[in-house]
Amino acid sequence: DFVMTQSPDSLAVSLGERATINCKSSQSVLYRPNNKNYLAWYQQKPGQPPKLLIYWASTRESGVPDRFSGSGSGTDFTLTISSLQAEDVAVYHCQQYYTSPLTFGGGTKVEIK
Amino acid sequence: QVQLVESGGGVVQPGRSLRLSCAASGFTFSSHAMHWVRQAPGKGLEWVALISYDGSNAYYADSVRGRFTISRDNSKNTFYLQMNSLTTEDTSVYYCARDRDRRSSIHVFDYWGQGILVTVSS
């Protein structure tokens, strides 16, 4: 199975500052024939289901603010919130969809400092 | 608008069975693969099972294979998770979720239900 490891487990960032979350896969999720990384990011607010933010490692889902961006390739990925807003307090999860079983990282909790 | 509504959760004793349902609306249900994803209290997300858009293929996490069965009824816009031989380790909020792309093998979840709690306890 592909093991997804997120870091840090939690972070506190001041409003308007940058938040950076890392996700590392135990194996590459880059599919060479189409040069796409099979990696998605989700945001989960307390008491709510997850919400899709980014897929193909860097493609924002429709309606997601452009302060959210994804980067990386192969085994190492990053979700960046460029200017943290109060409504961004949540747990963020990465997920690989390169192969079954689909697997998620353990989640990163983002709070306001 | 797309809606996914789970039902069938509750408290069940270890070793017993439970069937979850997910009623879908607002989209062409028969064109999308569907999933169950669970989250134990205070824990991360765990993918449980997938059924293809036409019901011809199903895939499972190792932790539930042989005990859980996913199925769908496209005429009712509903899919199911039959859970047998439940253990305390199965205690979780269970979410149903939709594949973003139609008739695709790209398994990204763009819509989720609100989740339903299954508690396995004696």
Side-chain angles (χ1 to χ4, degrees), chain A residues 40 42 52 55 95 97, chain B residues 98-100 106-110:
Chain A
Y42 299 85
L52 176 63
Y55 56 99
Q95 176 227 337
Y97 49 101
Chain B
R98 186 187 86 159
D99 252 14
R100 184 182 182 278
I106 305 302
H107 302 307
V108 173
F109 316 122
D110 66 341

Side-chain angles (χ1 to χ4, degrees), chain A residues 31-87:
Chain A
Y31 186 56
R32 292 287 183 188
N34 61 12
N35 200 36
K36 289 189 172 186
N37 288 283
Y38 285 52
L39 191 284
W41 289 96
Y42 299 85
Q43 174 194 63
Q44 186 177 26
K45 297 182 179 180
Q48 295 185 19
K51 172 189 173 183
L52 176 63
L53 295 177
I54 286 170
Y55 56 99
W56 298 130
S58 61
T59 301
R60 262 189 308 275
E61 175 70 330
S62 176
V64 173
D66 61 7
R67 63 179 180 274
F68 291 93
S69 63
S71 63
S73 185
T75 60
D76 293 280
F77 300 89
T78 300
L79 174 70
T80 301
I81 309 172
S82 60
S83 176
L84 191 75
Q85 305 300 302
E87 61 264 33

Side-chain angles (χ1 to χ4, degrees), chain B residues 4 22 24 27 29 32-36 47 49-53 70 72 79 96-99 111:
Chain B
L4 299 172
C22 178
F27 66 101
F29 179 70
H32 290 261
M34 303 298 295
H35 302 256
W36 290 99
W47 172 78
L50 144 70
I51 188 163
S52 61
Y53 66 94
I70 190 171
R72 66 190 295 160
F79 75 111
C96 58
R98 186 187 86 159
D99 252 14
Y111 284 94

Side-chain angles (χ1 to χ4, degrees), chain B residues 83-100:
Chain B
M83 304 185 292
N84 298 333
S85 303
L86 285 161
T87 75
T88 56
E89 299 295 307
D90 297 315
T91 294
S92 288
V93 172
Y94 285 74
Y95 296 100
C96 58
R98 186 187 86 159
D99 252 14
R100 184 182 182 278

